[in-house]
Amino acid sequence: MYKPKDSSLSPRFCGVRTFMRLEQVKTTENVDFVVMGVPFDTAASNRTGQRSAPQHIRNFSVLLKPYNPDVDINIFDHCSGVDYGDVDVIPGNIHRTYDKMVSEIYPILEKGIIPIIMGGDHSISLGNLRAFYKAYGPIALVHFDSHGDTWDNYYGEKYMHGTPFRRAVEEGLIDVEHSIQVGMRGSLYSPADLQDARDLGFEVITMKEIRQIGMNEVLERIHRRVEDKKVFVSYDIDFVDPAFAPGTGTPEVGGPTSFEALEYVRGLKGLDTVGFDLVEVLPSYDPGEITAALASSIIFEMITQVAVKKEAEISAVLERNLPR
Ligand code: MN
Ligand code: MN
């Protein structure tokens, strides 16, 4: 059973910084989740430096405590987890990086463990989805972002941070009938940019629609779309308004608040989520560690979802074994 260091006994500013002060152990034994980094950023179209995000988020995350009052759960009463470290990416070589990601992530999935993966730029999601496909076949995708990331290419290059979900559909990695994109906004090249995602088969909820129908209706639509399918949640930090998440490469104004950013993760309760990523944090544009604070809390909510899922599984087993 792995849990964070107790900060009431050991001051949180002491020691080498891992996510949430979890032990850094590269193990797939006795763990329900792992937090890991994929510090790859050479597919970013504008600012780079997302390679420094995993450590930046870890540095801030030492402030996290194990009890989540918003869902009334003590995470480590229900699950065990470690900081799995980082994948050794190959800067500038996305294909070899994808291969490394698949060989690192697949053994985790094979054991039924839920990985929570910190990017890196958004190109890493294609590597994640390839690993998930190998373990589970095509799975549903819930994608929070201000961008659809379904462009075809940049400068003729097919593997960039704005193309992973088009490639994923082309490769058959996603069960697109059960997949949804949420939060799209900002200037585009043409109306086709949004329509293309719908033509690929995604349900798309733009930021404007979110404001019209409200967060609860958005969450209901997510649940209706995904149903009981296994789902991967991909969370681009630029989904959130840059007032709350300035540290990112392609910010778009007019987005959700940090409170809403967390509520969207809490609202996933009940889905069969098998993995998460949180991408595009850019430390060099993060004054006062505002973005790191939000990113660590989003990951905390993701880990909470693992605990909620484990608790539900255990109660289901108990229920079945009750004498009648
Ligand atoms: Mn993105
Ligand atoms: Mn984005």
Side-chain angles (χ1 to χ4, degrees), residues 176-222:
V176 79
E177 294 285 300
H178 293 277
S179 297
I180 185 163
Q181 299 186 302
V182 180
M184 286 69 226
R185 61 184 184 271
S187 57
L188 296 169
Y189 294 103
S190 80
D193 291 358
L194 268 178
Q195 191 51 44
D196 280 2
R198 294 185 166 119
D199 292 345
L200 286 170
F202 290 104
E203 180 173 343
V204 178
I205 306 182
T206 63
M207 193 60 217
K208 185 107 174 164
E209 289 171 273
I210 293 179
R211 287 291 181 226
Q212 284 160 352
I213 65 179
M215 182 167 59
N216 290 339
E217 172 64 20
V218 175
L219 287 168
E220 273 175 35
R221 284 204 199 172
I222 291 172

Side-chain angles (χ1 to χ4, degrees), residues 13 30 37 53 57 66 88 91 109 123 143 147-148 179 194 207 219 233 248 259 272 278 280 301 303 308-309 321:
F13 48 84
N30 302 318
I57 298 168
D88 288 322
L109 301 177
S123 67
H143 173 204
H147 313 98
S179 297
L194 268 178
M207 193 60 217
L219 287 168
V233 177
T248 194
F259 176 77
D272 187 9
L278 189 273
E280 295 286 352
E301 294 298 339
I303 296 174
V308 166
K309 192 176 167 187
N321 296 335

